[in-house]
Amino acid sequence: MTVPKHSYVPTLGTIVRALRPEHWIKNSLVLAAFVFAMGDPLQAPKLQPLGLAFLKTIAACLLFCVISSGVYIMNDIRDLSLDREHPLKKHRPIASGALSVAFAAVLASVLLSIGLVCSYFLSLNLLYVTGGYLVLQIAYTVFLKKIALVDVCVIAVGFVLRALAGAAVLALSISPWLILCTFMLALFLGFCKRRHEKVISVDNEAENRPSLTGYNERLLDQAIAIVASATIVSYALYTLSPETVHKFGSAALGFTIPFVVFGILRYLDLVYRHEKGNRPERILLTDIPILIDILLYGLVILAIFMLGR
Protein backbone atom coordinates (compact mmCIF):
# COMPACT_ATOMS: atom_id res chain seq x y z
CA MET A 1 0.00 0.00 0.00
CA THR A 2 1.35 3.42 -0.94
CA VAL A 3 1.72 5.86 1.90
CA PRO A 4 0.25 9.26 0.92
CA LYS A 5 2.33 12.38 1.12
CA HIS A 6 2.44 14.15 4.46
CA SER A 7 1.50 10.88 6.15
CA TYR A 8 1.96 10.91 9.90
CA VAL A 9 2.98 7.23 9.70
CA PRO A 10 5.96 7.12 7.32
CA THR A 11 7.34 3.79 6.20
CA LEU A 12 10.54 2.40 7.66
CA GLY A 13 12.20 2.82 4.28
CA THR A 14 11.30 6.52 4.25
CA ILE A 15 12.78 7.03 7.71
CA VAL A 16 15.96 5.18 6.75
CA ARG A 17 16.37 7.33 3.62
CA ALA A 18 16.03 10.46 5.75
CA LEU A 19 18.92 9.21 7.90
CA ARG A 20 21.19 9.12 4.82
CA PRO A 21 23.02 5.90 5.78
CA GLU A 22 25.21 6.17 2.68
CA HIS A 23 27.00 9.04 4.45
CA TRP A 24 27.89 6.93 7.48
CA ILE A 25 31.08 5.81 5.74
CA LYS A 26 32.51 9.20 6.77
CA ASN A 27 32.27 8.18 10.42
CA SER A 28 34.70 5.30 9.90
CA LEU A 29 37.34 7.95 10.56
CA VAL A 30 36.50 7.48 14.25
CA LEU A 31 38.39 4.17 14.04
CA ALA A 32 41.68 5.82 12.99
CA ALA A 33 42.98 6.52 16.51
CA PHE A 34 42.37 2.90 17.57
CA VAL A 35 44.16 1.51 14.50
CA PHE A 36 47.25 3.70 14.86
CA ALA A 37 47.40 3.17 18.64
CA MET A 38 47.80 -0.58 18.07
CA GLY A 39 51.20 0.06 16.50
CA ASP A 40 52.32 2.56 19.15
CA PRO A 41 54.10 0.89 22.11
CA LEU A 42 53.28 3.87 24.34
CA GLN A 43 49.56 3.84 23.62
CA ALA A 44 48.91 0.15 23.02
CA PRO A 45 48.57 -0.53 26.79
CA LYS A 46 45.60 1.86 26.83
CA LEU A 47 43.81 -0.53 24.47
CA GLN A 48 43.76 -3.33 27.03
CA PRO A 49 41.56 -5.26 27.13
CA LEU A 50 41.66 -4.98 23.35
CA GLY A 51 38.12 -6.30 22.82
CA LEU A 52 36.60 -3.70 25.14
CA ALA A 53 38.59 -0.89 23.52
CA PHE A 54 37.41 -2.01 20.10
CA LEU A 55 33.77 -2.13 21.23
CA LYS A 56 34.02 1.37 22.72
CA THR A 57 35.46 2.64 19.44
CA ILE A 58 32.66 1.01 17.45
CA ALA A 59 30.13 2.51 19.87
CA ALA A 60 31.65 5.97 19.34
CA CYS A 61 31.45 5.45 15.58
CA LEU A 62 27.78 4.45 15.83
CA LEU A 63 27.01 7.46 18.01
CA PHE A 64 28.51 9.73 15.37
CA CYS A 65 26.24 8.02 12.83
CA VAL A 66 23.23 8.74 15.03
CA ILE A 67 24.21 12.38 15.61
CA SER A 68 25.15 13.05 11.99
CA SER A 69 21.80 11.62 10.84
CA GLY A 70 20.04 13.96 13.25
CA VAL A 71 22.03 16.84 11.77
CA TYR A 72 21.10 15.79 8.19
CA ILE A 73 17.41 15.82 9.10
CA MET A 74 17.78 19.19 10.83
CA ASN A 75 19.49 20.55 7.72
CA ASP A 76 16.76 19.15 5.44
CA ILE A 77 14.10 20.90 7.52
CA ARG A 78 16.03 24.15 7.34
CA ASP A 79 16.47 23.89 3.54
CA LEU A 80 12.99 22.58 2.80
CA SER A 81 11.94 25.35 0.40
CA LEU A 82 15.24 25.24 -1.51
CA ASP A 83 15.27 21.43 -1.76
CA ARG A 84 11.78 21.43 -3.28
CA GLU A 85 13.15 23.46 -6.21
CA HIS A 86 16.21 21.24 -6.70
CA PRO A 87 16.00 18.54 -9.44
CA LEU A 88 17.50 15.85 -7.20
CA LYS A 89 16.99 17.01 -3.61
CA LYS A 90 13.25 17.38 -4.19
CA HIS A 91 13.02 13.58 -3.94
CA ARG A 92 14.35 13.53 -0.39
CA PRO A 93 11.73 12.33 2.15
CA ILE A 94 11.09 15.71 3.76
CA ALA A 95 11.16 17.77 0.56
CA SER A 96 8.87 15.30 -1.23
CA GLY A 97 6.40 15.26 1.66
CA ALA A 98 6.88 11.55 2.39
CA LEU A 99 8.11 12.59 5.84
CA SER A 100 6.24 15.39 7.60
CA VAL A 101 8.22 18.27 9.09
CA ALA A 102 6.73 17.59 12.51
CA PHE A 103 7.75 13.92 12.45
CA ALA A 104 11.20 14.83 11.12
CA ALA A 105 11.73 17.40 13.88
CA VAL A 106 10.84 14.85 16.56
CA LEU A 107 13.07 12.24 14.92
CA ALA A 108 16.03 14.65 14.77
CA SER A 109 15.52 15.61 18.42
CA VAL A 110 15.43 11.96 19.50
CA LEU A 111 18.55 11.07 17.50
CA LEU A 112 20.55 14.03 18.81
CA SER A 113 19.44 13.38 22.40
CA ILE A 114 20.37 9.70 22.17
CA GLY A 115 23.74 10.56 20.67
CA LEU A 116 24.66 13.10 23.34
CA VAL A 117 23.35 11.12 26.32
CA CYS A 118 25.09 7.92 25.23
CA SER A 119 28.28 9.90 24.58
CA TYR A 120 28.17 11.10 28.19
CA PHE A 121 27.88 7.57 29.56
CA LEU A 122 30.59 6.26 27.25
CA SER A 123 33.13 9.02 27.94
CA LEU A 124 32.93 12.62 29.12
CA ASN A 125 35.65 13.53 26.63
CA LEU A 126 33.57 11.99 23.85
CA LEU A 127 30.63 14.17 24.92
CA TYR A 128 32.82 17.26 24.52
CA VAL A 129 33.66 16.19 20.96
CA THR A 130 30.15 15.20 19.90
CA GLY A 131 28.71 18.31 21.57
CA GLY A 132 31.24 20.48 19.77
CA TYR A 133 30.37 18.75 16.49
CA LEU A 134 26.67 19.44 17.02
CA VAL A 135 27.23 23.13 17.84
CA LEU A 136 29.43 23.47 14.76
CA GLN A 137 26.81 21.83 12.55
CA ILE A 138 24.05 24.04 13.89
CA ALA A 139 26.16 27.11 13.07
CA TYR A 140 26.85 25.63 9.64
CA THR A 141 23.18 24.94 8.96
CA VAL A 142 22.06 28.40 10.07
CA PHE A 143 24.62 30.67 8.40
CA LEU A 144 28.17 29.34 7.87
CA LYS A 145 27.28 27.25 4.82
CA LYS A 146 26.37 30.47 2.99
CA ILE A 147 29.96 31.76 3.15
CA ALA A 148 32.36 30.61 0.42
CA LEU A 149 35.56 28.92 1.65
CA VAL A 150 34.27 28.98 5.23
CA ASP A 151 31.67 26.34 4.32
CA VAL A 152 34.31 23.85 3.17
CA CYS A 153 36.57 24.62 6.15
CA VAL A 154 33.70 23.88 8.55
CA ILE A 155 33.08 20.55 6.84
CA ALA A 156 36.79 19.73 7.18
CA VAL A 157 36.72 20.57 10.90
CA GLY A 158 33.82 18.12 11.21
CA PHE A 159 36.10 15.36 9.92
CA VAL A 160 38.80 16.35 12.39
CA LEU A 161 36.26 16.02 15.20
CA ARG A 162 35.47 12.51 14.00
CA ALA A 163 39.14 11.59 14.30
CA LEU A 164 39.32 13.23 17.74
CA ALA A 165 36.25 11.26 18.86
CA GLY A 166 38.09 7.98 18.38
CA ALA A 167 40.94 9.24 20.54
CA ALA A 168 38.65 10.80 23.15
CA VAL A 169 36.63 7.66 23.86
CA LEU A 170 39.84 5.72 24.68
CA ALA A 171 41.75 8.62 26.28
CA LEU A 172 44.41 8.38 23.57
CA SER A 173 46.68 11.14 22.34
CA ILE A 174 46.55 11.86 18.63
CA SER A 175 49.38 13.22 16.51
CA PRO A 176 48.97 16.81 15.29
CA TRP A 177 50.25 15.55 11.95
CA LEU A 178 47.34 13.12 11.72
CA ILE A 179 44.91 15.93 12.53
CA LEU A 180 46.49 18.06 9.81
CA CYS A 181 46.31 15.22 7.27
CA THR A 182 42.64 14.66 8.11
CA PHE A 183 41.86 18.36 7.73
CA MET A 184 43.69 18.67 4.40
CA LEU A 185 42.09 15.53 2.94
CA ALA A 186 38.63 16.74 3.96
CA LEU A 187 39.35 20.13 2.37
CA PHE A 188 40.38 18.34 -0.82
CA LEU A 189 37.15 16.34 -0.98
CA GLY A 190 35.11 19.44 -0.12
CA PHE A 191 36.62 21.61 -2.85
CA CYS A 192 36.19 18.80 -5.39
CA LYS A 193 32.51 18.63 -4.47
CA ARG A 194 32.08 22.39 -4.78
CA ARG A 195 33.76 22.32 -8.19
CA HIS A 196 31.33 19.70 -9.43
CA GLU A 197 28.38 21.70 -8.12
CA LYS A 198 29.68 24.91 -9.66
CA VAL A 199 30.72 23.61 -13.09
CA ILE A 200 28.55 20.57 -13.77
CA SER A 201 25.27 21.08 -11.95
CA VAL A 202 22.16 22.90 -13.06
CA ASP A 203 22.11 26.67 -13.62
CA ASN A 204 20.10 27.45 -10.50
CA GLU A 205 22.44 25.52 -8.20
CA ALA A 206 23.62 28.77 -6.59
CA GLU A 207 20.09 29.35 -5.35
CA ASN A 208 20.16 25.94 -3.65
CA ARG A 209 23.69 26.44 -2.26
CA PRO A 210 24.25 30.19 -1.73
CA SER A 211 28.00 29.81 -1.08
CA LEU A 212 28.53 28.85 -4.74
CA THR A 213 28.16 32.49 -5.73
CA GLY A 214 31.47 33.10 -3.97
CA TYR A 215 33.33 30.51 -6.05
CA ASN A 216 34.48 30.34 -9.63
CA GLU A 217 36.07 27.50 -11.57
CA ARG A 218 39.58 28.94 -11.51
CA LEU A 219 39.54 29.47 -7.74
CA LEU A 220 38.33 25.94 -7.12
CA ASP A 221 40.90 24.42 -9.49
CA GLN A 222 43.70 26.26 -7.71
CA ALA A 223 42.33 25.32 -4.29
CA ILE A 224 42.12 21.66 -5.29
CA ALA A 225 45.70 21.67 -6.62
CA ILE A 226 47.08 23.38 -3.51
CA VAL A 227 45.21 21.22 -1.02
CA ALA A 228 45.95 17.96 -2.89
CA SER A 229 49.68 18.76 -2.81
CA ALA A 230 49.50 19.80 0.85
CA THR A 231 47.70 16.57 1.75
CA ILE A 232 50.40 14.40 0.20
CA VAL A 233 53.25 16.44 1.71
CA SER A 234 51.61 16.47 5.16
CA TYR A 235 51.14 12.71 5.13
CA ALA A 236 54.70 12.12 3.91
CA LEU A 237 56.09 14.37 6.65
CA TYR A 238 53.96 12.56 9.23
CA THR A 239 55.14 9.08 8.26
CA LEU A 240 58.82 10.08 8.02
CA SER A 241 59.02 12.50 10.94
CA PRO A 242 61.42 11.54 13.77
CA GLU A 243 58.50 11.49 16.20
CA THR A 244 56.60 8.91 14.11
CA VAL A 245 59.70 6.81 13.44
CA HIS A 246 60.47 6.75 17.16
CA LYS A 247 56.87 5.99 18.06
CA PHE A 248 56.50 3.00 15.73
CA GLY A 249 60.11 1.89 15.89
CA SER A 250 60.76 2.22 12.13
CA ALA A 251 60.24 4.40 9.07
CA ALA A 252 58.19 1.66 7.42
CA LEU A 253 55.05 3.81 7.39
CA GLY A 254 56.70 5.61 4.51
CA PHE A 255 55.77 2.61 2.34
CA THR A 256 52.13 3.73 2.58
CA ILE A 257 52.83 7.08 0.86
CA PRO A 258 52.33 5.65 -2.69
CA PHE A 259 48.82 4.51 -1.76
CA VAL A 260 47.91 8.03 -0.59
CA VAL A 261 49.36 9.52 -3.78
CA PHE A 262 47.44 7.07 -5.95
CA GLY A 263 44.20 7.72 -4.06
CA ILE A 264 44.52 11.48 -4.57
CA LEU A 265 45.38 11.10 -8.26
CA ARG A 266 42.56 8.63 -8.86
CA TYR A 267 40.08 11.00 -7.24
CA LEU A 268 41.35 13.86 -9.42
CA ASP A 269 40.84 11.62 -12.45
CA LEU A 270 37.23 11.02 -11.40
CA VAL A 271 36.64 14.75 -10.86
CA TYR A 272 38.24 16.10 -14.03
CA ARG A 273 37.95 13.30 -16.58
CA HIS A 274 34.78 11.52 -15.47
CA GLU A 275 33.00 14.62 -14.10
CA LYS A 276 32.39 13.06 -10.71
CA GLY A 277 33.12 14.37 -7.24
CA ASN A 278 29.71 15.50 -6.02
CA ARG A 279 29.23 12.33 -3.95
CA PRO A 280 32.55 11.39 -2.28
CA GLU A 281 30.83 8.86 -0.03
CA ARG A 282 29.51 7.02 -3.10
CA ILE A 283 32.93 7.06 -4.77
CA LEU A 284 34.54 5.59 -1.67
CA LEU A 285 32.00 2.77 -1.69
CA THR A 286 31.80 2.01 -5.41
CA ASP A 287 35.02 2.95 -7.24
CA ILE A 288 37.00 -0.27 -7.60
CA PRO A 289 40.50 1.27 -7.95
CA ILE A 290 39.99 3.37 -4.81
CA LEU A 291 38.54 0.41 -2.90
CA ILE A 292 41.56 -1.73 -3.85
CA ASP A 293 43.89 1.13 -2.89
CA ILE A 294 42.24 1.47 0.55
CA LEU A 295 42.38 -2.30 1.08
CA LEU A 296 46.08 -2.47 0.19
CA TYR A 297 46.80 0.55 2.38
CA GLY A 298 45.08 -1.17 5.32
CA LEU A 299 46.96 -4.43 4.73
CA VAL A 300 50.32 -2.64 4.60
CA ILE A 301 49.52 -0.76 7.82
CA LEU A 302 48.54 -4.04 9.50
CA ALA A 303 51.72 -5.76 8.27
CA ILE A 304 53.90 -2.92 9.56
CA PHE A 305 52.28 -3.05 12.98
CA MET A 306 52.46 -6.85 13.18
CA LEU A 307 56.11 -7.03 12.08
CA GLY A 308 57.04 -4.18 14.39
CA ARG A 309 56.00 -6.06 17.50
Side-chain angles (χ1 to χ4, degrees):
M1 183 177 69
T2 303
V3 178
K5 290 185 177 183
H6 304 288
S7 170
Y8 290 98
V9 188
T11 65
L12 179 60
T14 298
I15 295 175
V16 170
R17 285 197 299 117
L19 300 181
R20 301 194 210 174
E22 68 276 11
H23 288 264
W24 290 349
I25 184 67
K26 302 173 184 176
N27 300 317
S28 61
L29 191 58
V30 174
L31 305 176
F34 174 84
V35 172
F36 281 92
M38 287 194 299
D40 184 351
L42 296 178
Q43 299 215 75
K46 297 181 181 180
L47 302 181
Q48 301 303 321
L50 186 63
L52 178 60
F54 179 71
L55 288 177
K56 290 179 70 174
T57 305
I58 293 297
C61 182
L62 292 176
L63 288 178
F64 244 96
C65 292
V66 170
I67 292 173
S68 60
S69 288
V71 168
Y72 295 144
I73 294 173
M74 179 181 66
N75 189 61
D76 286 349
I77 294 174
R78 171 78 179 181
D79 293 343
L80 179 59
S81 58
L82 292 177
D83 288 351
R84 283 176 174 167
E85 302 300 322
H86 193 277
L88 297 178
K89 295 180 181 180
K90 67 181 181 181
H91 298 297
R92 288 178 177 176
I94 299 175
S96 67
L99 196 67
S100 70
V101 173
F103 187 96
V106 172
L107 179 59
S109 299
V110 170
L111 291 172
L112 295 175
S113 298
I114 290 175
L116 294 177
V117 170
C118 290
S119 293
Y120 170 77
F121 285 107
L122 195 59
S123 165
L124 184 59
N125 288 333
L126 178 61
L127 175 63
Y128 294 150
V129 176
T130 54
Y133 174 81
L134 177 57
V135 171
L136 180 68
Q137 294 306 312
I138 291 174
Y140 175 81
T141 297
V142 174
F143 64 94
L144 292 181
K145 68 178 181 180
K146 300 176 183 179
I147 308 173
L149 299 179
V150 172
D151 61 331
V152 176
C153 288
V154 170
I155 293 172
V157 171
F159 279 88
V160 170
L161 290 174
R162 287 173 169 90
L164 290 176
V169 72
L170 299 176
L172 299 171
S173 60
I174 187 168
S175 170
W177 282 109
L178 207 54
I179 293 175
L180 177 61
C181 291
T182 300
F183 182 73
M184 299 307 296
L185 180 59
L187 278 181
F188 170 72
L189 297 175
F191 283 130
C192 286
K193 183 173 181 178
R194 289 295 179 269
R195 184 189 185 279
H196 180 93
E197 292 170 340
K198 184 69 177 182
V199 179
I200 306 300
S201 297
V202 294
D203 295 335
N204 66 342
E205 182 66 36
E207 299 177 4
N208 293 279
R209 193 181 292 281
S211 67
L212 287 180
T213 58
Y215 292 107
N216 61 39
E217 185 177 352
R218 184 178 180 184
L219 170 63
L220 289 166
D221 286 343
Q222 291 183 345
I224 290 170
I226 292 170
V227 174
S229 301
T231 301
I232 294 173
V233 172
S234 298
Y235 185 79
L237 290 174
Y238 163 66
T239 60
L240 301 177
S241 69
E243 176 191 355
T244 303
V245 173
H246 175 73
K247 181 185 296 184
F248 295 104
S250 76
L253 275 179
F255 290 115
T256 63
I257 295 174
F259 298 105
V260 174
V261 174
F262 175 84
I264 295 289
L265 294 177
R266 172 58 183 172
Y267 202 89
L268 287 172
D269 179 52
L270 293 172
V271 170
Y272 284 97
R273 194 164 65 90
H274 299 279
E275 298 184 348
K276 296 182 179 180
N278 62 319
R279 297 288 299 276
E281 67 282 349
R282 178 173 295 177
I283 290 175
L284 294 175
L285 289 173
T286 59
D287 185 69
I288 300 302
I290 287 184
L291 286 173
I292 294 175
D293 185 59
I294 293 174
L295 175 61
L296 292 176
Y297 173 85
L299 291 175
V300 171
I301 288 285
L302 182 62
I304 291 171
F305 290 170
M306 294 295 290
L307 294 175
R309 291 184 175 183

